């Protein structure tokens, strides 16, 4: 509902895709491909590779992690606050509340560690920004660029391989989880991440409207 309202009322499109499946990295970003395969993969050349990889993984009874990217395009500048209701902080808080999410990065994320200030800082020209390493959020407030978020999804802990554990009496034992279990929950996380992004952005739109009303600012 939030995704549909944002698109129809404000022209904000929220889309996600599977950027990495274990060692397999999507090298193309074709939005038309995302909805045509069960992996939500934007790289058509990687789909058969992922199918083969997952079949072998499932046969071994093991699991794998994934990285999901979520992009919100058309977000107007001015959403969020510098301290208590930072847009990036609220997005990170919401995304970390999703099952199996172990890491959240916005924009360049951890890649900024190796970047110099002259590279990471998004330069501005009369025509607009030259890059978007900030992920569409500066000082906790949306900049008008696409808001980009990346989620690290852990491997499923319920696997058929035996794992060491302890009993209630703290005695050594082995645990084996039988039955149907997804070898990669990250595949199903794409629409969940999209929905969470939509909820946070719509919440900030409502906060903005409650603060300044409907006759001023970005809210019509």
């Amino acid at each position: 509902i939030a995704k549909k309202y944002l698109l129809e009322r404000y022209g904000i499109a929220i889309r996600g895709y599977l950027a990495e499946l274990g060692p397999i990295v999507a090298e193309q970003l074709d939005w038309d491909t995302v909805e045509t395969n069960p992996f939500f993969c934007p790289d058509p050349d990687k789909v058969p590779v992922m199918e083969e990889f997952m079949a072998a993984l499932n046969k071994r009874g093991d699991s794998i992690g994934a990285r999901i990217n979520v992009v919100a395009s058309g977000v107007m500048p001015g959403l969020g606050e510098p301290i208590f209701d930072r847009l990036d902080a609220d997005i990170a808080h919401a995304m970390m509340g999703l099952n199996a999410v172990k890491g959240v990065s916005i924009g360049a994320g951890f890649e900024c560690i190796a970047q110099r200030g002259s590279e990471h800082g998004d330069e501005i020209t009369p025509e607009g920004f030259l890059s978007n390493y900030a992920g569409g959020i500066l000082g906790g407030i949306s900049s008008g660029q696409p808001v980009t978020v990346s989620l690290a999804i852990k491997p499923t802990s319920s696997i058929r391989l035996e794992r060491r554990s302890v009993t209630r009496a703290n005695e050594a034992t082995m645990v084996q989880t039988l039955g149907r279990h997804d070898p990669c929950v990250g595949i199903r996380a794409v629409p969940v991440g999209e929905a969470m992004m939509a909820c946070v952005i719509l919440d900030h739109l409502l906060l903005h409207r409650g603060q300044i009303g409907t006759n001023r600012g970005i809210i019509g």
Side-chain angles (χ1 to χ4, degrees), residues 118-208:
S118 56
E119 177 186 4
H120 178 77
D122 298 316
E123 293 183 287
I124 308 175
T125 69
E127 289 73 36
F129 288 94
L130 298 181
S131 58
N132 189 23
Y133 292 117
I137 303 174
L138 292 169
I141 301 173
S142 61
S143 65
Q145 291 184 278
V147 176
T148 61
V149 180
S150 185
L151 311 178
I153 311 295
K154 73 170 185 176
T156 313
S157 57
S158 301
I159 58 177
R160 296 198 307 272
L161 299 177
E162 288 191 338
R163 304 285 292 165
R164 286 175 293 184
S165 185
V166 294
T167 65
R168 290 184 178 181
N170 200 35
E171 297 175 345
T173 187
M174 300 296 292
V175 175
Q176 182 184 27
T177 307
L178 301 177
R180 183 192 179 282
H181 297 282
D182 291 332
C184 181
V185 294
I187 297 173
R188 296 188 289 110
V190 173
V192 181
E194 291 177 344
M196 190 60 78
M197 175 80 93
C199 287
V200 174
I201 292 178
L202 183 56
D203 189 47
H204 271 267
L205 282 166
L206 294 174
L207 288 171
H208 189 90

Side-chain angles (χ1 to χ4, degrees), residues 48-70:
V49 181
M50 291 182 177
E51 291 176 340
E52 183 178 354
F53 178 82
M54 291 303 296
L57 188 72
N58 194 35
K59 186 176 181 180
R60 290 197 302 268
D62 211 341
S63 62
I64 196 71
R67 180 165 66 93
I68 305 301
N69 287 349
V70 182

